[in-house]
Amino acid sequence: MALERLTGLIAFARAGALGSFTAAARSLAISPSAVSKSVQRLEQQLGVSLFTRTTRSLTLTPEGRELHERALRLLQDAEEIEQAAKAVRDEPAGPLRIAASLPVGLHLIAPALPAFRALYPKVTIDLRLDDRLVDIAEQGIDIAVRIGELADSRLLFRRLAPMRLCAFAAPSYLAARGVPGHPEELASHETVNLRYQSSGQLFRWPFRVGEREIEILPASSVVVDAGEAVLATLIAGGGIGISASFIAAPYVARGELVPVLADFAVVRDAITVLWPASRRANPAVRAFLDYLPDAAGRLMGAASLPS
């Protein structure tokens, strides 16, 4: 097989998985025009049209869909060869692509990166933050850090840490409206809730009452689709909301937020680290997987709030 055709197949596989030449180019670290030209040459060589192109979208043709799965297997084989070659080196080096939700990336991953790079200066970090779930294998991600249950059985995983969920509010709001003493009293308060970007569903607030755990779906006057926006609204005096303690901790330390109903807080949803099997031999991946649990433990321990 000519090298040009192999390049075209790799570009086709990534563009079909990501739905755009621009996203494929970013993933492959080349220009969008290079991806487009490689795919066009491949279409000419195969004599079929692989994509239907419009100014706003890129979709696979029926012929393209038929060939795309095989092209993806070729891409995965090529990546496994690359990872095996990298594993020959003893010292972690090269790019490390990490995906995480915005709150986890801001408050858990990003603060741990400087010390990691001090240990391994030849590793470069590409941290991608998005609250929507991404296909790790198709987007070339080395490591992902997620909250909740594992949904992809193709991935290796390690439980990183549980997290404590608690209600918070600004001191100014509580001074004006009072401090609730039981979750049932939330009905008489302003609340700020989260809508999941991935499903569109509203977050159900968990509380431990005695020996059982209950869930409340408050009639919130403000609903946002990012955890940081929940906290920003609370700090401005918008009401009461729920957050993981390690995310709220910096605002609590500055006096911008205080815990509410802390006696009813729950520990839930382990934070999980995931990675494709093809990446497990990569020295940079192994180094980060060994480093992250201790770093996360220190960060989350420092962020723990009194009950």
Side-chain angles (χ1 to χ4, degrees), residues 12 31 288 303:
F12 163 58
S31 68
F288 194 75

PDB file of all heavy atoms in Angstrom, residues 12 31 288 303:
ATOM      1  N   PHE A  12      -9.121   9.886   7.109  1.00  0.00           N
ATOM      2  CA  PHE A  12     -10.530   9.529   6.937  1.00  0.00           C
ATOM      3  C   PHE A  12     -11.105   8.954   8.226  1.00  0.00           C
ATOM      4  O   PHE A  12     -12.212   9.313   8.651  1.00  0.00           O
ATOM      5  CB  PHE A  12     -10.660   8.525   5.787  1.00  0.00           C
ATOM      6  CG  PHE A  12     -11.961   7.772   5.750  1.00  0.00           C
ATOM      7  CD1 PHE A  12     -13.170   8.442   5.663  1.00  0.00           C
ATOM      8  CD2 PHE A  12     -11.964   6.379   5.799  1.00  0.00           C
ATOM      9  CE1 PHE A  12     -14.371   7.739   5.625  1.00  0.00           C
ATOM     10  CE2 PHE A  12     -13.157   5.679   5.753  1.00  0.00           C
ATOM     11  CZ  PHE A  12     -14.362   6.357   5.678  1.00  0.00           C
ATOM     12  N   SER A  31      -2.638  20.354   9.710  1.00  0.00           N
ATOM     13  CA  SER A  31      -3.574  21.408   9.340  1.00  0.00           C
ATOM     14  C   SER A  31      -4.878  20.814   8.793  1.00  0.00           C
ATOM     15  O   SER A  31      -4.873  19.705   8.228  1.00  0.00           O
ATOM     16  CB  SER A  31      -2.957  22.320   8.280  1.00  0.00           C
ATOM     17  OG  SER A  31      -2.800  21.619   7.061  1.00  0.00           O
ATOM     18  N   PHE A 288       1.909   9.107  34.957  1.00  0.00           N
ATOM     19  CA  PHE A 288       0.809   9.938  35.446  1.00  0.00           C
ATOM     20  C   PHE A 288      -0.170   9.110  36.269  1.00  0.00           C
ATOM     21  O   PHE A 288      -0.701   9.586  37.283  1.00  0.00           O
ATOM     22  CB  PHE A 288       0.083  10.604  34.284  1.00  0.00           C
ATOM     23  CG  PHE A 288      -0.830  11.719  34.710  1.00  0.00           C
ATOM     24  CD1 PHE A 288      -0.313  12.943  35.105  1.00  0.00           C
ATOM     25  CD2 PHE A 288      -2.206  11.554  34.740  1.00  0.00           C
ATOM     26  CE1 PHE A 288      -1.144  13.977  35.519  1.00  0.00           C
ATOM     27  CE2 PHE A 288      -3.047  12.573  35.147  1.00  0.00           C
ATOM     28  CZ  PHE A 288      -2.504  13.797  35.535  1.00  0.00           C
ATOM     29  N   ALA A 303      -8.836  19.919  50.852  1.00  0.00           N
ATOM     30  CA  ALA A 303     -10.109  20.566  50.553  1.00  0.00           C
ATOM     31  C   ALA A 303     -11.252  20.032  51.397  1.00  0.00           C
ATOM     32  O   ALA A 303     -12.382  20.476  51.260  1.00  0.00           O
ATOM     33  CB  ALA A 303     -10.452  20.373  49.076  1.00  0.00           C
TER      34      ALA A 303
END
